[in-house]
């Protein structure tokens, strides 16, 4: 059971159809309420008649994502307690997130233990690709959902027995828009862009590049075959996020990945 | 689109309020959306009725207040109006303008009965 939400989610499947935590006391007040109120508001247009209003206003002033933020903070505290460094990989579909994770795990597994949470709308193909490396992986299927949220990650963490001082890679649903808004409790978002997608992506999807601390520009092995304007791409990324770090890599050849591993090592140590 | 989960989050916050206050129906849900934020008001409206159906917020009206974008330029220190999240300072042209308003995604108030 999730200690934050108290829900008893038995499976790790989430979909937009699941209504969380409903309670049954909806109608406690309806009956005498109905008897003493003549509701002019139930007319066709649903408008209220001034002066007879039974309504009152409750000020709330809460961030709509505050529930997600609370789950994310809980995840972060859990990870911190075990000194686990978590990265949230975001990109459009097919830019090479799983390929990069597979390569990174194979290159780093001798010196640290790594676990993966895979987010996709359907199938457990990506988790199977990760497990083939020997690393544990939990697949979260979001159904109609277009992003992972912190609540799903909390449940995925329940499934993984993470070793202290290990790495956790979270592969988000392939989507360059929605995952930007959802903190999962990770240390950093890493945005993956492949050179086949075009150099203007950071300008077209600025929120994601603004939310990320590192950009892996993948499929560099294909550059000789493309008219990709590298300088324009770097300029665009830095325009929407002056602090983003950028590495040019290839999951196929391994080019540039030593810098990524060093980036991880520097942060795990510190 | 993640507007569906935003409306679900709003419903969850309304459920929280019902633990503190007695009400049986929500007439309006007032939200503040920053003009520079992630959310399209139209997309939010589009899914609001479908997502709230059968919840405590069933039948509520969605009232959206748009908060205009504003930032402080880290070079000239002026407070400037922003129409674009990644705009340069309209006064001095510097690129590092910190957003001070326009990023809101807030449940502001409920009208209940
Ligand atoms: N040439 C080349 N192809 C690559 C590279 N990285 C990934 N690919 C190919 O790109 C395709 C998609 O790769 P994936 O790793 O499945 O991409 P993904 O981002 O995990 O995709 P989703 O999970 O569906 O969003 C596959 O055919 C990979 O072989 C690379 O560095 N170079
Ligand atoms: Mg994948
Ligand atoms: Zn300025």
């Amino acid at each position: 059971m999730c200690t934050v939400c108290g829900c008893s989610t038995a499976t790790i499947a989430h979909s937009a159809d699941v209504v969380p935590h409903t309670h049954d006391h909806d109608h406690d007040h309806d009956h005498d309420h109905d008897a003493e109120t003549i509701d002019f508001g139930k007319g066709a247009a649903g408008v209220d008649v001034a002066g007879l209003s039974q309504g009152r206003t409750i000020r709330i002033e809460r961030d709509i994502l505050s529930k997600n933020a609370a789950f994310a903070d809980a995840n972060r505290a859990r990870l911190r307690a075990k000194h686990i460094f978590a990265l949230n990989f975001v990109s459009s579909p097919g830019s090479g997130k799983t390929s990069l994770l597979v390569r990174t795990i194979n290159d780093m597994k001798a010196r640290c233990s790594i676990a993966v949470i895979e987010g996709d709308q359907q199938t457990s193909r990506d988790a199977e690709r990760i497990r083939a490396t020997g690393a544990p992986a939990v697949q979260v299927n979001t159904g109609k959902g277009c992003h992972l949220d912190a609540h799903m990650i909390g449940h995925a963490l329940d499934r993984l027995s993470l070793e202290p001082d290990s790495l956790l890679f979270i592969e988000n649903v392939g989507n360059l828009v929605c995952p930007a808004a959802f903190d999962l409790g990770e240390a950093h978002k890493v945005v993956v862009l492949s050179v086949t997608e075009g150099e203007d992506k950071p300008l077209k999807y600025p929120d994601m590049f603004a939310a990320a601390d590192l950009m892996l520009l993948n499929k560099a092995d294909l550059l000789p075959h493309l008219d990709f304007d590298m300088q324009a791409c770097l300029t665009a990324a830095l325009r929407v996020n002056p602090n983003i770090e950028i590495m040019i890599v290839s999951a196929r050849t391994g080019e540039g990945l030593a810098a990524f591993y060093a980036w991880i090592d520097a942060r795990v140590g510190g | 689109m993640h507007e569906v989960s935003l409306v679900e989050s709003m419903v969850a916050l309304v459920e929280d309020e019902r633990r503190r206050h007695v009400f049986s129906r929500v007439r309006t849900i007032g939200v503040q959306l920053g003009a520079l934020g992630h959310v399209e008001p139209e997309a939010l409206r589009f899914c609001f009725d479908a997502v709230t159906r059968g919840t405590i917020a069933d039948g509520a009206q969605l009232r959206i207040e748009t908060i205009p974008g504003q930032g402080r330029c880290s070079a000239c220190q002026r407070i400037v109006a922003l129409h674009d999240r990644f705009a340069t300072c309209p006064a001095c042209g510097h690129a590092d303008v910190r957003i001070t308003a326009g990023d809101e995604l807030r449940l502001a108030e409920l009208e209940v009965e």
Side-chain angles (χ1 to χ4, degrees), chain A residues 15-19 21-23 25-26 29-30 33 39 42 45-46 48 53-67 146-147 177-178 180-182 206-207 210 239-241 243, chain B residues 1-2 4-6 8-10 12-13 15-25 27 31-33 36-38 55 61 84-88 95-96 98 105-113:
Chain A
S15 81
D17 302 325
V18 177
V19 179
H21 325 310
T22 48
H23 298 265
H25 46 256
D26 293 27
H29 314 284
D30 271 14
H33 180 94
D39 190 350
K42 294 234 169 83
D48 299 313
S53 172
Q54 287 281 304
R56 62 191 201 285
T57 298
I58 304 174
R59 298 291 304 168
I60 298 182
E61 303 286 356
R62 282 180 74 184
D63 194 295
I64 290 173
L65 289 174
S66 56
K67 292 257 167 185
C146 50
H147 58 272
V177 183
C178 307
F182 292 83
D207 293 329
R239 161 125 193 257
V240 300
N241 183 350
N243 301 314
Chain B
M1 288 301 296
H2 67 277
V4 170
S5 37
L6 295 183
E8 288 172 347
S9 303
M10 286 160 55
L13 293 179
E15 291 283 359
D16 278 1
E17 290 307 311
R18 200 170 50 163
R19 272 169 228 136
R20 280 187 279 264
H21 306 273
V22 176
F23 57 88
S24 61
R25 194 174 88 85
R27 285 185 187 175
V31 302
Q32 293 174 331
L33 289 189
L36 308 177
H38 299 272
T55 74
Q61 284 199 0
D84 167 1
R85 199 181 180 83
F86 307 102
T88 53
D96 191 11
R98 291 286 138 91
L105 178 53
R106 193 185 296 137
L107 189 58
E109 60 179 32
L110 300 178
E111 237 176 84
V112 299
E113 60 185 41

Side-chain angles (χ1 to χ4, degrees), chain A residues 257-269:
Chain A
L257 285 171
F260 176 48
Y261 307 153
W263 183 92
I264 293 175
D265 286 334
R267 278 153 186 83
V268 171

Side-chain angles (χ1 to χ4, degrees), chain B residues 68-104:
Chain B
Q70 194 191 63
R72 176 189 288 276
C73 173
S74 65
C76 71
Q77 302 301 324
R78 283 192 189 84
I79 300 282
V80 294
L82 289 179
H83 301 290
D84 167 1
R85 199 181 180 83
F86 307 102
T88 53
C89 173
C92 78
H94 198 263
D96 191 11
V97 183
R98 291 286 138 91
I99 293 175
T100 53
D103 220 4
E104 295 77 4

Side-chain angles (χ1 to χ4, degrees), chain A residues 28-29 31 44 47 55 67 119 132 134 170 192 194 209 215 221 242 265:
Chain A
D28 280 358
H29 314 284
H31 311 289
V47 290
K67 292 257 167 185
I170 302 168
V192 179
S194 57
F209 292 85
M215 167 170 146
D221 58 288
D265 286 334

